[in-house]
Amino acid sequence: MSLTFVTKPLVIATGRAFFAIGLIGIGCQHFFFHQFIPDFVPPWPAWIHGSQFYVYLVGAIFVASGAAILFGFKARAASTLLAGLFLASVVLLHIPANILARTTSLVLWSAAFETFTFAGCALVVAGALPETSVRRSSTSLIRASESLIPLGAYPLAIMVIVFGVDHFLYLRSVASLIPKWIPGPVYCTCFAGVALIAAGVAIIVRVKARLAATLLGVMLFIWVLILHIPRAIADPYSGIGSEWTSVFQALAWSGIAFILGETLGADRSRS
């Protein structure tokens, strides 16, 4: 299903803007807090000196990539390069850090899942942009990332399934996050969990995938408005601005879901 009251290019452009704004917001957090945002870079090894420089470098990469995507300047190259950097962060930083810490909790692996998801999101953005030939002058990272573009939808699908399962594993904890003015927080949490799992499965198996992606985008954007932004305003500083990070993440993911709602291949069962 597409958002029929607006054009396909407008929906894709809006989704791309949501993703770009999310990137820029997270990048700015690096400069505001003078620290890595832990959802993307795990604790920096003590033996690597000059960590402050790398904090600002990562922040600058987020801001520059977001601006390139937002304004359409070398946007496909920026997206593919960003995807490669996110994947490198997962493989070289998150996974080794979790293994060394003997992390077994699904919650503690969430940062790795989220970074992996952003890699997929960057690939989705690249795939929605006009295709250009990968020149010999392009970096090997960009060329490698270009080859992964068809797989871009899967990290988001996997993540929402995992988060949907989390809604049931940590039912009371998640329900406590529901705004007080919404009745039946436990039922809302269960509904959200089922919706996340169903959306993820639909995107993976390509059954009503466009409908599922569009509805996922709507749900995530509603959460940005009624859940994440109020929490971020109420508590803007705790956990290196973790509530604002959640705002930017959810906004970015909703944008990608909207793009997928317009660009996923033909469903087995037409929407």
Side-chain angles (χ1 to χ4, degrees), residues 142-160:
I142 290 179
R143 292 196 297 271
S145 298
E146 284 267 351
S147 67
L148 297 175
I149 284 176
L151 304 177
Y154 295 105
L156 179 63
I158 293 170
M159 187 202 68
V160 297

Side-chain angles (χ1 to χ4, degrees), residues 164 167-168 171 174 178 183-199 215 219 222-223:
H167 278 59
F168 295 98
L171 180 60
V174 176
I178 302 294
V186 172
Y187 295 107
C188 289
T189 301
C190 292
F191 173 81
V194 171
L196 288 170
I197 294 170
L215 293 178
M219 183 169 68
I222 290 173
W223 288 354

Side-chain angles (χ1 to χ4, degrees), residues 21 27 33 38 71 86 103 105-106 145 170 185 190 199 201 213 215 222 233:
I21 292 168
F33 290 101
F71 297 109
F86 278 131
T103 301
S105 169
L106 193 61
S145 298
Y170 308 100
C190 292
V201 171
L215 293 178
I222 290 173
I233 291 173

Side-chain angles (χ1 to χ4, degrees), residues 27-244:
C28 289
Q29 285 187 295
H30 286 77
F31 294 99
F32 184 85
F33 290 101
H34 311 290
Q35 297 183 58
F36 289 115
I37 302 305
D39 285 19
F40 296 93
V41 180
W44 200 245
W47 53 269
I48 298 181
H49 300 292
S51 61
Q52 200 67 61
F53 166 78
Y54 294 106
V55 169
Y56 298 142
L57 176 62
V58 170
I61 290 172
F62 272 80
V63 172
S65 300
I69 293 168
L70 184 62
F71 297 109
F73 178 76
K74 302 287 187 181
R76 187 177 175 104
S79 300
T80 51
L81 179 59
L82 190 65
L85 292 174
F86 278 131
L87 287 173
S89 176
V90 173
V91 173
L92 301 177
L93 297 176
H94 285 283
I95 292 177
N98 284 337
I99 290 175
L100 289 174
R102 298 181 179 179
T103 301
T104 57
S105 169
L106 193 61
V107 172
L108 296 178
W109 275 91
S110 62
F113 275 115
E114 290 163 3
T115 305
F116 180 60
T117 299
F118 264 79
C121 290
L123 293 174
V124 170
V125 170
L129 290 165
E131 186 173 358
T132 57
S133 59
V134 182
R135 299 172 181 169
R136 293 180 181 178
S137 59
S138 298
T139 66
S140 58
L141 188 59
I142 290 179
R143 292 196 297 271
S145 298
E146 284 267 351
S147 67
L148 297 175
I149 284 176
L151 304 177
Y154 295 105
L156 179 63
I158 293 170
M159 187 202 68
V160 297
I161 291 172
V162 171
F163 284 3
V165 172
D166 279 348
H167 278 59
F168 295 98
L169 294 178
Y170 308 100
L171 180 60
R172 295 294 175 182
S173 177
V174 176
S176 68
L177 303 178
I178 302 294
K180 302 300 182 184
W181 54 270
I182 297 178
V186 172
Y187 295 107
C188 289
T189 301
C190 292
F191 173 81
V194 171
L196 288 170
I197 294 170
V201 171
I203 291 170
I204 290 173
V205 302
R206 294 295 197 269
V207 174
K208 295 293 183 181
R210 292 182 179 180
L211 171 62
T214 299
L215 293 178
L216 175 64
V218 171
M219 183 169 68
L220 291 173
F221 186 64
I222 290 173
W223 288 354
V224 169
L225 297 178
I226 70 172
L227 175 63
H228 293 298
I229 289 178
R231 288 180 60 84
I233 291 173
D235 184 14
Y237 303 113
S238 296
I240 317 178
S242 61
E243 294 294 347
W244 277 110

